[in-house]
Amino acid sequence: MSRLTYLMSTKFGMFTHLEAIKKYIFLSQGDFMDLLMESLAPYLDRPADSQYRHTLTSQLEHAIRHSNAQYDDPEVLRRLDARMLEWSSGETGWDCFTLEYKVSPPCDVIITTWANVQYLKVFNMLLRIKRVEFSLTTTWRRCTTGSRSVLGAVNDKLGRDWKRARCVIAEMVHFINQLQYYILFEVIESNWKTLQTAMREPDASLDDLIDAHTRYLNNITTK
């Protein structure tokens, strides 16, 4: 490991920040994001112009306290923020919500403004997929509950259609789970390992670190 890489890693926490971005912006910290989605859903269903920053940050803190994220480095958690992007008329909170990880100098030489835009793009896509999964899971629970109560009285008339609907939902849940697996493991995780190897090369220069991180993001966003 070069002197530069050593300093960026130990003194400035570069690898800690990159791993935190992977966990929270790329949604690798599953239990945290599940809790955040569940607590924010009633608010994000509302119009974008009715969202309040203090509501977002309080629900973010709630998700941190009640998930494994609570055991993370306090310095990492301090940099994590929830906010709304610029919104247009007719949009809901889901269309504008984002998580942000704030990086300070000198790490911003590698995690540049351009890099933050790429992270934002990936987060927005993953959030949409996560929202579909959340909706399907909620619908599945309702179907399961309904089959035990309401359907009992009309099973002879609706039983076949109800079963077909549950099969379709199950197939959709399976597809979303497979899609998430592909993105998180086949795309993000494989490129993450490549990034770690490249950034720990002996005598790696600052340009080498920047190039490795740029390739990492380009490979993720183009797959």
Side-chain angles (χ1 to χ4, degrees), residues 115-175:
N116 284 324
V117 171
Q118 307 313 306
Y119 282 123
L120 176 61
K121 290 179 180 178
V122 177
F123 174 81
N124 287 338
M125 181 193 67
L126 292 174
L127 179 65
R128 283 169 170 74
I129 296 173
K130 200 72 177 175
R131 182 188 177 188
V132 172
E133 179 196 36
F134 178 78
S135 299
L136 287 172
T137 303
T138 302
T139 303
W140 174 259
R141 285 199 296 263
R142 290 174 179 172
C143 285
T144 303
T145 304
S147 65
R148 298 172 185 166
S149 54
V150 179
L151 190 62
V154 292
N155 188 54
D156 56 331
K157 297 179 181 179
L158 300 177
R160 182 178 298 177
D161 293 334
W162 194 273
K163 183 178 180 179
R164 186 178 300 136
R166 291 176 63 185
C167 288
V168 171
I169 294 172
E171 291 177 0
M172 294 172 70
V173 169
H174 176 72
F175 171 76

Side-chain angles (χ1 to χ4, degrees), residues 72-84:
D72 214 333
D73 187 340
E75 175 64 18
V76 166
L77 299 178
R78 183 183 66 81
R79 295 172 180 270
L80 194 61
D81 191 23
R83 65 184 181 89
M84 299 297 291

Side-chain angles (χ1 to χ4, degrees), residues 5-220:
T5 306
Y6 177 79
L7 286 174
M8 293 297 286
S9 174
T10 56
K11 186 174 182 179
F12 302 111
M14 169 57 70
F15 293 117
T16 299
H17 296 321
L18 288 172
E19 187 170 2
I21 292 172
K22 176 175 171 286
K23 286 199 296 185
Y24 297 112
I25 305 302
F26 284 172
L27 311 190
S28 297
Q29 188 75 27
D31 61 333
F32 161 78
M33 197 60 200
D34 289 340
L35 277 170
L36 185 62
M37 292 281 290
E38 186 175 349
S39 60
L40 276 177
Y43 303 99
L44 296 183
D45 285 336
R46 302 171 185 172
D49 60 359
S50 66
Q51 306 297 322
Y52 297 98
R53 184 175 179 81
H54 68 270
T55 301
L56 302 179
T57 54
S58 65
Q59 296 306 318
L60 173 62
E61 292 169 1
H62 169 81
I64 290 173
R65 287 196 307 269
H66 294 85
S67 69
N68 286 329
Q70 66 181 300
Y71 304 113
D72 214 333
D73 187 340
E75 175 64 18
V76 166
L77 299 178
R78 183 183 66 81
R79 295 172 180 270
L80 194 61
D81 191 23
R83 65 184 181 89
M84 299 297 291
L85 301 172
E86 292 185 10
W87 51 271
S88 302
S89 177
E91 290 185 323
T92 67
W94 291 107
D95 300 314
C96 308
F97 172 76
T98 190
L99 286 182
E100 183 179 43
Y101 188 86
K102 299 176 181 179
V103 178
S104 55
C107 294
D108 60 351
V109 174
I110 296 174
I111 306 175
T112 61
T113 301
W114 173 85
N116 284 324
V117 171
Q118 307 313 306
Y119 282 123
L120 176 61
K121 290 179 180 178
V122 177
F123 174 81
N124 287 338
M125 181 193 67
L126 292 174
L127 179 65
R128 283 169 170 74
I129 296 173
K130 200 72 177 175
R131 182 188 177 188
V132 172
E133 179 196 36
F134 178 78
S135 299
L136 287 172
T137 303
T138 302
T139 303
W140 174 259
R141 285 199 296 263
R142 290 174 179 172
C143 285
T144 303
T145 304
S147 65
R148 298 172 185 166
S149 54
V150 179
L151 190 62
V154 292
N155 188 54
D156 56 331
K157 297 179 181 179
L158 300 177
R160 182 178 298 177
D161 293 334
W162 194 273
K163 183 178 180 179
R164 186 178 300 136
R166 291 176 63 185
C167 288
V168 171
I169 294 172
E171 291 177 0
M172 294 172 70
V173 169
H174 176 72
F175 171 76
I176 288 296
N177 288 339
Q178 291 298 108
L179 178 59
Q180 288 187 102
Y181 176 87
Y182 171 75
I183 295 173
L184 293 177
F185 293 96
E186 299 298 330
V187 177
I188 295 176
E189 191 63 36
S190 62
N191 283 289
W192 170 253
K193 292 178 180 178
T194 303
L195 173 67
Q196 286 184 305
T197 301
M199 297 189 79
R200 296 181 188 277
E201 284 288 335
D203 302 323
S205 66
L206 180 60
D207 287 339
D208 293 332
L209 300 184
I210 295 173
D211 289 343
H213 185 244
T214 300
R215 287 196 305 273
Y216 166 68
L217 289 175
N218 280 333
N219 289 339
I220 289 174

